[in-house]
Amino acid sequence: MTRILVVEDDTDLALALRTLLTRAGYEVVPADDGREALRLLFAERPALLILDIGLPGLDGWAVLERTRDLSDLPVLLLTARGAETDRVRGLRSGADDYLPKPFGNDELLARVEALLRRSAPARWAGDSFDDGLRLVPERRSAVWQGQEARLSDIEYRLLQILVRNRGRVITTDQLLDRVWDDRDGTGRERVKFAVLRLRRKLRQAAGDAAADPLEAVRGLGYRYRAGGDRPG
């Protein structure tokens, strides 16, 4: 049974969501605050996260950021109707979709089904990839070919985004937007130098003779090569 973590502090809405999703055949794991959500996220490893932004204490933005440190599972945000800035911020922060309140049951189920249908099984931090990489979020580091490389926050976030999109080219402008929150596309040289530093640290950790998994695609951006996708 597909497991969904529902994070909502409104008791009535949380009950309605749980009833609706359970009747649709999903297993629902409820949480009513951000800290409980993060505990359950890693303990239960759901297939989908439904996340309210307006949580007490640790808010939905912090939960979303931490979720993206832990996994690439699909995230559906619940936002206040008309709060366009929240929806834009959510999508820029890594959410996959949003649904303004109040919403219809059929629309919620349709969005859940669409997210699950088009999403591959989630990868989780701490999992080992087929090419010898492992992200360690609590230490902001990466284990490459069995050796740990300590990274800055920027370097870790950069590697995390490239890994989540393994095999796909991420443009320089996309990286500026998602790593540095540079929506104007200025300062592109900072991406180049951050990638150079990241590649150097991975090589030094595993030995200079070891190939690093990052590739510059001329005129476009960068990508993390999948395990079997190596240049000859």
Side-chain angles (χ1 to χ4, degrees):
M1 184 179 293
T2 301
R3 182 176 299 140
I4 299 176
L5 175 59
V6 177
V7 188
E8 172 59 63
D9 67 317
D10 183 305
T11 304
D12 292 337
L13 180 55
L15 177 59
L17 287 169
R18 185 171 188 172
T19 301
L20 175 67
L21 292 167
T22 299
R23 287 177 177 172
Y26 298 106
E27 178 186 351
V28 176
V29 178
D32 59 8
D33 67 70
R35 297 191 185 283
E36 177 71 359
L38 292 177
R39 186 187 70 79
L40 291 171
L41 184 71
F42 208 73
E44 300 292 340
R45 297 203 174 194
L48 173 72
L49 170 62
I50 298 178
L51 176 63
D52 179 38
I53 291 301
L55 298 173
L58 195 69
D59 67 14
W61 301 120
V63 174
L64 177 58
E65 180 181 2
R66 180 61 173 153
T67 296
R68 283 295 169 246
D69 282 346
L70 294 172
S71 176
D72 61 354
L73 88 163
V75 178
L76 173 62
L77 286 184
L78 302 182
T79 68
R81 180 170 295 280
E84 181 181 359
T85 54
D86 281 353
R87 298 197 292 272
V88 171
R89 180 181 176 185
L91 294 173
R92 289 184 183 278
S93 298
D96 298 275
D97 199 359
Y98 65 85
L99 190 57
K101 300 178 183 178
F103 47 81
N105 291 346
D106 289 343
E107 183 177 8
L108 173 74
L109 289 176
R111 289 178 183 270
V112 166
E113 291 166 5
L115 285 173
L116 291 171
R117 183 171 58 248
R118 67 174 184 249
S119 299
R123 288 184 178 273
W124 294 83
D127 288 347
S128 295
F129 297 94
D130 57 359
D131 49 14
L133 179 82
R134 181 164 58 88
L135 298 179
V136 188
E138 64 272 18
R139 293 171 59 85
R140 276 297 193 269
S141 67
V143 176
W144 172 239
Q145 302 299 332
Q147 302 298 319
E148 185 174 20
R150 299 299 296 272
L151 308 176
S152 70
D153 286 346
I154 288 293
E155 291 161 353
Y156 182 88
R157 180 66 175 155
L158 180 62
L159 180 58
Q160 181 187 61
I161 288 172
L162 291 170
V163 168
R164 282 211 312 266
N165 294 276
R166 57 198 296 111
R168 292 170 48 197
V169 175
I170 307 300
T171 68
T172 299
D173 286 344
Q174 287 173 326
L175 289 171
L176 277 169
D177 184 14
R178 296 165 69 179
V179 179
W180 286 270
D181 197 24
D182 184 349
R183 298 171 188 175
D184 296 326
T186 58
R188 295 184 179 183
E189 285 296 301
R190 73 178 81 178
V191 177
K192 174 182 176 180
F193 289 115
V195 171
L196 287 173
R197 290 193 300 271
L198 178 56
R199 299 181 77 170
R200 186 182 305 118
K201 286 186 177 182
L202 293 176
R203 288 196 192 100
Q204 289 174 346
D208 288 338
D212 71 73
L214 305 182
E215 178 184 13
V217 181
R218 185 180 296 275
L220 292 176
Y222 302 89
R223 70 169 179 158
Y224 181 93
R225 295 185 292 253
D229 186 14
R230 291 283 188 271

